[in-house]
Amino acid sequence: MQVSVAEQDTGVPLRPHPLRNPWVVGWLTLAAAAAFAVSGLAPTFHSVNAFAVVAVFLALLVADVVNVTLEFRRQSVLCSLSELAFVIALAEVGGAWTAITMTAAVAVGLVVQGSPRSKLPFNLGLAVLEVCTAVTVLHLLSVGDIRSPATWLSYLLAISAADVVSGLLIAAAITLTQGYPGRGLWISLLLPVVVLGPVSVVVGLAVLLLVHVTVWAWLLIVPLMLTLALLYRRFGVIRREGQTLERVYEFARRVEEVSADETGTRQIVQAVRELLNAERVALWLPPYLDEEPRLVVAAEDDAVWYDGPGDPDDLFRRRAVDTAADGPVLVTLARADEREVAALARRGASDLLGAPVITAAGEPGYLEICDRRSDMVAFGDGDRAALDSMLTHVNAAIRQQQLLTQIRYDADHDRLTGLPNRQRLAAEIDELLAADPVGVRAGLILAALDNYTEVTDTLGHAASDELLLVTAGLLREHAPPQALVARMEGEQFAVLLPGLSLAATERAARRLRDAASTRARVAGLDLEVTLTIGVAAAPIHGVDSGTLMQRADVALLAGSGSGGVASYHPVLDQQSLRRLQLGTELEQAMRDGSISVVFQPIIDARTSDIVSVETLVRWAHPRYGSIPPDDFIHLAEQIGRIGPLTDHVLELALARCRRWLDEGIALSVAVNLSARCLAEPDLVERVARALQRHGVPGELLTLELTEGSVVDDSVRSSTVLADLHGLGLRLSMDDFGTGYSSLSQLRQLPIDEVKVDKSFVLGMSTSQGESFIARSIIELAHNLGLRVVAEGVEDELTRKLLVEMGCDKLQGFLVSRPLPDDRLESWLLARTGVRSAAPGATHRRRFVRT
């Protein structure tokens, strides 16, 4: 065996350890070999026939050329059938002449193959040490006539010992110069010793026996040797193909597990580099949504950029992304034309593979692999085929990442204006304030369109949407450069001003209001755009997003009576008193029925059977009127009463379900479950008791969980979801796509269905992008064995699109608005029919008449 130990430029200015220099390792090996040769080989030197020496030299040279290359990072190990020629040489010309001819054959082979000079001293020393080892073993054992089995065994042991010493020295050289590459090194080095070495020795002994019988045996031996060489070379090809296939499978497994962020992209690039044993790999991705173009590089020298792949006019990139290109592009310096040589020189590379990457941006990306780390192996057609196989997995991973990026972008941005929404604004505020809790200053402007309601009521939603777009453009145009403009909800916008004090924020708010006060052409009419503004500032008014936005909202309420701009003051904060009163009245409201529930039907998309109703909580307060559910649910969570509130809703839902069962109708109920409830230790027991108390089977209850609560680490590490699922009920992930999970995470959780958030459904009939997202979620969920419910279905076209996509269930105003119990009964009587029980079933089902 031979080893190739190449020099390495680490780019580190510190002096490396001498033993990491391949020249030092090579000369030390050669010096040790010379010392052993003087004492071990000198006694074996004797005159021999010149023809025999030349024949042995040629045999060793041919055996050295017919080899299998094994790569370990920057080193290449050559495994050959040299043992066959080795045993013949020892028997015919003795140890000294074997060492001379073997070193000569190794030197010629290295020169012919164009190997680096740094490997020459090591491999020459290695050849001498192999001969010394074999001669020493033969000296210790009985070596007689070649026809004696004892002699055969002696040669077998001698050659095997020489191979073991060779393997150990190669492993030591690789570990010293490049670090320990792992257990695969030993498997690849010892496999020839155990399998190929003994076979080669046996064949060599057979050749010697035949030649001793008759010199004409060469007529049989030469064809046999040629056949053996071809078989050995074929073995090398099959082995490389098998290794490539294994690495592609390993690559596919690793790519499946990468995270859906920039770290995941870097992991993909690094995996490509390791699979192809490359010096550098670069992946260029076009701009997508709010992301800039990206160039991700994985390199031996830890470089993060190099010239070439980021240039749209680069020769190789244009050639690779050409739609007419037939697979990946392969360019080698030896076969390059003048333009290709220049493009390779630009990168400092001698070999290159390039391929397009399919993205969701409409513009292809570009994957480039430069230079194999091995100093003896260059990229070839096999690597081109391996890259072609890998591209399927790379494309799927990149598209999956971009799909999740799209979902998260939509969750953080307003669909109409493209501005960041409340959730994104809150995150930006918290990040800004957390950076310097003591010295940070920031202003928050909350602006509301004064005539939004009148425009909506008079001209319709299309006109009010147009007015919102005009206002968003005005705020973008006139807000300071460092400001973040966001769309809240309804007619409200927000402007975050980093670094501004309260006084500076007030001045900026007045300038912004004056600049945005104009007339705009909306729905064929000239409408006046005027804003009412509320101002709050950190840290004086709050040190977190929730407090700051709440106090800006309080100021906004006072703005209409203060010249259009008002700043927060504690006197304005009537919210605190209101929250205190609501908190004290929560329990009584559940007892006296002020807190009640409404039901919204959910139908089977294919059959129109009513399969479930979602139970929604409502609070009709005698003083404040209808309290938004988010307000008092959040309040219940804060004061520790979310458990009793959930139990109250569950009782009302199961009681309704029981009455339907008494009428012989199976109609399941869905109840929303707060993230706080999942942390309560007796949750599973309470749900089980409620089911038992009402006599409702578990399969008629669905618990809807928020996406954030399902992927929370504390929930995933507990058994609460599995225990709930064990009661026979169904678990549904509500509002999917607005959080930070991926569908692949659901494989680890006992989730039965996902509900596509209505923000992705409402615009399906007018936006191909939203239809694509909905279709992708449905297909991915079905691939995981999950059913899909679409929320927010409000028109017939959207319903038809969802049915064509294979969506399982539909919910929205097209079916019915949320209805109280009595109105739901009336709706069921007027709008639905009863379907007979299916064979084997005990209950009938309702369906919507068409």
Side-chain angles (χ1 to χ4, degrees):
M1 286 184 283
Q2 300 173 19
V3 65
S4 157
V5 184
E7 293 183 271
Q8 174 181 345
D9 178 15
T10 62
V12 180
L14 297 178
R15 184 187 299 274
H17 193 282
L19 288 180
R20 292 189 66 82
N21 188 320
W23 282 103
V24 174
V25 173
W27 286 115
L28 287 175
T29 305
L30 187 57
F36 279 106
V38 170
S39 60
L41 298 181
T44 66
F45 187 84
H46 58 275
S47 61
V48 295
N49 184 286
F51 175 77
V53 172
V54 173
V56 167
F57 167 75
L58 293 176
L60 287 168
L61 181 60
V62 171
D64 189 58
V65 172
V66 181
N67 55 59
V68 175
T69 304
L70 307 176
E71 294 179 67
F72 299 99
R73 299 178 183 168
R74 296 179 66 87
Q75 303 87 5
S76 299
V77 177
L78 302 181
C79 294
S80 67
L81 293 174
S82 57
E83 289 86 354
L84 189 155
F86 193 4
V87 69
I88 295 175
L90 287 174
E92 293 297 321
V93 299
W97 283 106
T98 298
I100 294 171
T101 53
M102 183 176 287
T103 54
V106 168
V108 172
L110 293 177
V111 172
V112 170
Q113 293 171 357
S115 300
R117 289 176 296 173
S118 60
K119 66 179 289 185
L120 183 61
F122 178 83
N123 283 285
L124 293 178
L126 187 65
V128 174
L129 288 173
E130 286 183 14
V131 177
C132 289
T133 303
V135 169
T136 301
V137 174
L138 290 174
H139 179 72
L140 296 175
L141 300 175
S142 174
V143 179
D145 189 270
I146 194 65
R147 292 169 293 184
S148 170
T151 300
W152 303 344
L153 180 60
S154 297
Y155 277 112
L156 181 60
L157 293 175
I159 302 300
S160 297
D163 282 343
V164 169
V165 169
S166 174
L168 292 175
L169 288 173
I170 291 172
I174 291 174
T175 303
L176 284 173
T177 57
Q178 294 293 324
Y180 182 58
R183 291 183 301 174
L185 171 67
W186 297 106
I187 295 173
S188 295
L189 289 180
L190 295 179
L191 180 64
V193 175
V194 175
V195 178
L196 299 177
V199 172
S200 299
V201 172
V202 169
V203 174
L205 291 171
V207 170
L208 289 171
L209 287 172
L210 288 171
V211 172
H212 276 75
V213 172
T214 172
V215 73
W216 294 106
W218 285 109
L219 296 177
L220 299 176
I221 292 171
V222 171
L224 179 63
M225 293 299 99
L226 291 175
T227 302
L228 186 61
L230 293 174
L231 289 175
Y232 188 69
R233 185 174 289 275
R234 182 56 186 167
F235 162 76
V237 173
I238 293 174
R239 186 182 185 281
R240 284 195 297 272
E241 291 176 351
Q243 284 184 327
T244 300
L245 189 59
E246 286 182 15
R247 290 177 180 177
V248 170
Y249 283 144
E250 175 64 16
F251 176 81
R253 185 191 64 79
R254 289 180 59 181
V255 167
E256 278 188 356
E257 297 174 355
V258 301
S259 55
D261 52 20
E262 187 169 351
T263 301
T265 307
R266 190 166 299 279
Q267 290 171 342
I268 293 173
V269 174
Q270 185 61 36
V272 173
R273 177 172 173 263
E274 292 177 7
L275 173 63
L276 295 176
N277 195 27
E279 287 276 0
R280 281 175 297 172
V281 174
L283 174 63
W284 181 85
L285 294 173
Y288 185 63
L289 300 176
D290 58 349
E291 295 179 350
E292 296 295 323
R294 286 189 294 157
L295 180 65
V296 183
V297 176
E300 182 79 13
D301 57 1
D302 295 326
V304 296
W305 181 89
Y306 67 92
D307 193 22
D311 181 5
D313 295 323
D314 177 72
L315 173 66
F316 298 142
R317 176 171 156 184
R318 284 192 290 108
R319 185 180 298 175
V321 301
D322 183 2
T323 55
D326 183 19
V329 172
L330 171 61
V331 181
T332 61
L333 187 60
R335 300 180 179 179
D337 59 28
E338 185 176 346
R339 295 176 62 208
E340 291 171 341
V341 169
L344 287 172
R346 178 184 189 183
R347 295 161 166 80
S350 57
D351 299 294
L352 178 140
L353 285 166
V357 175
I358 300 173
T359 72
E363 179 182 358
Y366 173 59
L367 179 65
E368 176 178 287
I369 302 94
C370 290
D371 290 342
R372 200 156 195 139
R373 283 193 286 182
S374 168
D375 61 346
M376 297 186 65
V377 181
F379 290 133
D381 289 335
D383 301 298
R384 187 170 179 264
L387 177 60
D388 204 19
S389 299
M390 293 159 54
L391 283 176
T392 301
H393 305 288
V394 173
N395 290 335
I398 295 299
R399 289 180 66 84
Q400 171 78 352
Q401 288 183 349
Q402 291 184 327
L403 171 60
L404 293 176
T405 298
Q406 173 79 58
I407 293 174
R408 291 169 183 169
Y409 178 88
D410 290 341
D412 282 346
H413 290 76
D414 174 57
R415 291 300 185 84
L416 177 65
T417 62
L419 294 173
N421 58 15
R422 174 184 287 273
Q423 177 177 295
R424 174 70 177 274
L425 175 66
E428 293 286 344
I429 293 174
D430 286 333
E431 182 178 349
L432 178 65
L433 299 183
D436 184 8
V438 177
V440 69
R441 295 192 303 177
L444 180 63
I445 295 173
L446 205 61
L449 269 169
D450 291 339
N451 56 344
Y452 175 79
T453 303
E454 290 80 359
V455 171
T456 303
D457 292 343
T458 305
L459 302 176
H461 287 286
S464 59
D465 286 349
E466 192 175 345
L467 181 60
L468 288 172
L469 288 170
V470 170
T471 306
L474 290 170
L475 292 175
R476 279 198 192 101
E477 179 182 354
H478 297 293
Q482 77 277 15
L484 173 69
V485 181
R487 163 92 188 281
M488 304 296 275
E489 58 276 317
E491 73 277 18
Q492 291 187 5
F493 294 85
V495 182
L496 176 63
L497 301 167
L500 268 62
S501 64
L502 176 60
T505 303
E506 289 173 338
R507 291 193 296 271
R510 291 189 177 90
R511 287 196 299 269
L512 190 61
R513 184 174 187 273
D514 292 341
S517 296
T518 183
R519 298 188 69 82
R521 190 76 174 174
V522 175
L525 301 174
D526 287 329
L527 301 181
E528 186 174 358
V529 179
T530 57
L531 300 175
T532 297
I533 290 178
V535 174
I540 186 173
H541 294 149
V543 291
D544 63 84
S545 61
T547 303
L548 206 60
M549 289 192 292
Q550 184 267 336
R551 290 181 172 174
D553 198 29
V554 171
L556 179 62
L557 294 175
S560 58
S562 305
V565 178
S567 297
Y568 172 80
H569 190 278
V571 174
L572 303 174
D573 197 0
Q574 296 301 318
Q575 294 293 322
S576 298
L577 178 61
R578 179 174 180 265
R579 287 171 58 82
L580 178 62
Q581 182 176 352
L582 292 177
T584 58
E585 295 177 353
L586 189 64
E587 292 281 357
Q588 181 61 39
M590 287 189 284
R591 286 193 294 268
D592 64 22
S594 297
I595 293 181
S596 60
V597 295
V598 294
F599 303 96
Q600 186 171 29
I602 301 172
I603 66 170
D604 185 290
R606 186 176 59 84
T607 65
S608 293
D609 283 357
I610 302 177
V611 293
S612 182
V613 293
E614 182 176 2
T615 311
L616 305 170
V617 64
R618 298 289 185 262
W619 187 354
H621 194 277
R623 178 180 176 184
Y624 298 119
S626 178
I627 309 295
D630 288 345
D631 287 359
F632 66 85
I633 291 174
H634 182 59
L635 175 62
E637 289 178 332
Q638 288 185 321
I639 65 176
R641 305 308 297 162
I642 189 63
L645 179 60
T646 300
D647 292 344
H648 178 67
V649 175
L650 186 61
E651 286 291 325
L652 295 175
L654 292 178
R656 175 68 269 184
C657 185
R658 179 68 259 175
R659 291 198 295 274
W660 279 320
L661 285 173
D662 292 340
E663 297 172 7
I665 295 175
L667 189 57
S668 68
V669 291
V671 175
N672 290 280
L673 205 59
S674 165
R676 298 285 180 90
C677 290
L678 294 175
E680 295 175 342
D682 62 340
L683 172 66
V684 177
E685 182 181 352
R686 295 189 342 248
V687 173
R689 285 201 305 266
L691 289 169
Q692 185 178 11
R693 185 164 51 251
H694 291 279
V696 173
E699 61 266 20
L700 292 183
L701 173 63
T702 299
L703 295 181
E704 296 189 2
L705 315 168
T706 63
E707 187 175 357
S709 67
V710 169
V711 299
D712 182 79
D713 288 339
S714 62
V715 173
R716 294 176 64 188
S717 61
S718 71
T719 62
V720 60
L721 296 181
D723 293 341
L724 286 171
H725 203 260
L727 298 177
L729 51 80
R730 300 174 63 84
L731 297 179
S732 174
M733 179 183 282
D734 197 13
D735 300 334
F736 180 79
T738 60
Y740 294 90
S741 71
S742 68
L743 282 169
S744 61
Q745 290 177 291
L746 303 187
R747 290 182 292 187
Q748 307 168 15
L749 300 169
I751 301 297
D752 299 290
E753 68 180 22
V754 295
K755 299 187 74 173
V756 183
D757 185 65
K758 61 184 178 182
S759 62
F760 300 120
V761 176
L762 289 173
M764 282 180 55
S765 59
T766 57
S767 170
Q768 289 185 347
E770 293 175 4
S771 294
F772 170 75
I773 294 171
R775 182 186 299 275
S776 299
I777 293 176
I778 291 170
E779 290 178 354
L780 290 171
H782 283 168
N783 289 338
L784 294 175
L786 304 176
R787 296 177 69 81
V788 182
V789 182
E791 298 181 292
V793 182
E794 297 190 359
D795 57 74
E796 187 63 26
L797 179 57
T798 301
R799 183 193 71 80
K800 290 181 179 178
L801 289 173
L802 288 166
V803 171
E804 292 173 359
M805 294 176 186
C807 184
D808 302 293
K809 303 177 185 179
L810 307 177
Q811 178 182 0
F813 287 178
L814 181 66
V815 179
S816 172
R817 294 177 178 272
L819 301 171
D821 193 5
D822 55 344
R823 291 183 59 193
L824 176 65
E825 279 299 307
S826 301
W827 183 87
L828 289 173
L829 290 173
R831 296 284 304 278
T832 69
V834 177
R835 201 186 300 280
S836 300
T842 57
H843 298 94
R844 298 171 295 165
R845 303 189 69 88
R846 287 190 176 274
F847 65 95
V848 178
R849 295 192 186 98
T850 58

